Amino acid sequence: MYYEILGPTRGDEPPLLFIHGGGATGACFRATPDGRVGWADRLAARGYECWLTDWPGTGRSGNRDPLEIDYGDVVDAYLRLLSGVVCRAAVVVCHSMGGAVAWQLVEKSSQLVAGVVAVAAAYPANTPPRSEVVRDDGDVVEVVFGDTGVRLVVDRRRTYLYEDAYVYEQAIASSTRFPRASIGAMRAGLVGLPPRMLLQRLGVLEGMPAVTDPAGFRGKPIRLLTGGEDPAHPRAIEERTVATLRDWGARAELTWLPDLGIEGNGHFMFFEENSDELVDVLVDQLVAVGAATT
């Protein structure tokens, strides 16, 4: 699995381990589509040690057939990275589909997860994802995602590139912060998503990981960071996730950007026009879960 490290090595503080979402790579945290410096580089400039990664079979991670990759493969890769390469407790910063991976790291390797900041991140599959299969001929699946009503067409024979319906109705949707002139640049930076993983996330296939032993969540500091214009992460879903995490003993809180007077952010907030401002909000979450600023 590809990784790169930004910022100084800080043996006295947990590093930040970034887990991107579907269709992205670790590069999504390095630059915005309109050409500004991204979150990871800004955090590195503030003294954070940042580990950026690409899922196995995705982006710069080679030697795997992406058509064979599922959630279990990705979870196993991050467990190996944490235990065999990072070798100390990290704060996990996850986005979107990467959330389901982060919850598995807490369950299976809690001692190596100091805390989690979940940015518009998927909930554990203990709440099963809801979708309606419109048609499925064995190769191509047309499905309506229950959380948003967006219709997606997934071909099992090739990696999935986000189609117009996803980009305009879910990724951007009603965001007033996404720079519309940069939509093409954003799409140019996306990569093929393993179709099995996407179908697991949609609930068409089994395998989106659920937490079976929540002991590792006890006392774990977790912050959910979400914008007010993300159709996949309305406040009700985020509060449900917080309640689940608290039931498992986690010290979980929701940071809802509109409560801070920050309106208009969607799913890809680190790409949006106020992403520089949001770094300060992100740092507050990092400090809250154990990653001190300098």
Side-chain angles (χ1 to χ4, degrees):
M1 185 171 71
Y2 174 87
Y3 68 89
E4 61 182 317
I5 306 170
L6 306 179
T9 299
R10 301 179 63 195
D12 58 333
E13 295 288 346
L16 309 183
L17 174 61
F18 286 81
I19 304 178
H20 62 82
T25 68
C28 72
F29 298 111
R30 298 214 57 185
T32 64
D34 59 359
R36 291 174 292 114
V37 172
W39 276 4
D41 289 75
R42 292 188 180 280
L43 291 170
R46 296 190 185 201
Y48 283 100
E49 178 184 343
C50 302
W51 290 63
L52 304 178
T53 59
D54 291 359
W55 293 351
T58 300
R60 295 160 288 187
S61 294
N63 300 317
R64 292 293 303 275
D65 181 354
L67 301 185
E68 298 178 354
I69 296 293
D70 64 11
Y71 256 116
D73 295 307
V74 176
V75 170
D76 288 345
Y78 280 98
L79 287 170
R80 291 195 301 270
L81 181 71
L82 270 177
S83 64
V85 183
V86 181
C87 298
R88 65 192 200 274
V91 166
V92 176
V93 181
C94 56
H95 177 244
S96 195
M97 286 177 64
V101 178
W103 311 132
Q104 289 296 291
L105 299 184
V106 176
E107 177 184 8
K108 299 179 184 301
S109 193
S110 184
Q111 74 280 6
L112 290 177
V113 179
V116 178
V117 176
V119 181
Y123 43 79
N126 301 70
T127 302
R130 303 173 298 112
S131 292
E132 176 191 355
V133 176
V134 178
R135 64 180 175 90
D136 184 354
D137 65 8
D139 290 325
V140 178
V141 185
E142 185 176 353
V143 57
V144 177
F145 183 34
D147 289 346
T148 63
V150 173
R151 185 176 299 240
L152 305 174
V153 179
V154 182
D155 189 334
R156 292 180 171 93
R157 300 165 297 182
R158 55 181 58 91
T159 57
Y160 176 83
L161 286 171
Y162 284 127
E163 57 203 285
D164 286 351
Y166 174 84
V167 170
Y168 290 99
E169 298 173 33
Q170 187 165 318
I172 299 174
S174 58
S175 170
T176 61
R177 299 285 193 169
F178 197 96
R180 292 326 195 253
S182 299
I183 292 174
M186 179 194 76
R187 297 185 80 166
L190 298 176
V191 300
L193 168 57
R196 287 187 185 177
M197 277 192 74
L198 179 56
L199 292 174
Q200 289 172 326
R201 173 65 184 95
L202 295 172
V204 176
L205 295 179
E206 295 183 355
M208 182 178 169
V211 172
T212 57
D213 180 3
F217 285 82
R218 293 177 191 145
K220 194 70 65 182
I222 299 173
R223 293 295 182 274
L224 275 61
L225 177 61
T226 316
E229 302 297 331
D230 184 344
H233 295 272
R235 187 163 195 152
I237 285 180
E238 300 302 273
E239 289 179 341
R240 182 188 69 193
T241 302
V242 167
T244 297
L245 297 170
R246 287 176 176 172
D247 285 345
W248 294 340
R251 294 188 286 114
E253 302 287 345
L254 170 63
T255 299
W256 184 251
L257 289 178
D259 287 348
L260 304 180
I262 304 173
E263 302 282 353
N265 284 103
H267 190 60
F268 284 93
M269 65 178 73
F270 44 82
F271 283 164
E272 296 185 316
E273 64 184 10
N274 64 335
S275 62
D276 296 354
E277 172 190 358
L278 295 180
V279 171
D280 293 328
V281 179
L282 177 61
V283 167
D284 289 342
Q285 313 315 305
L286 294 172
V287 172
V289 302
T293 188
T294 55

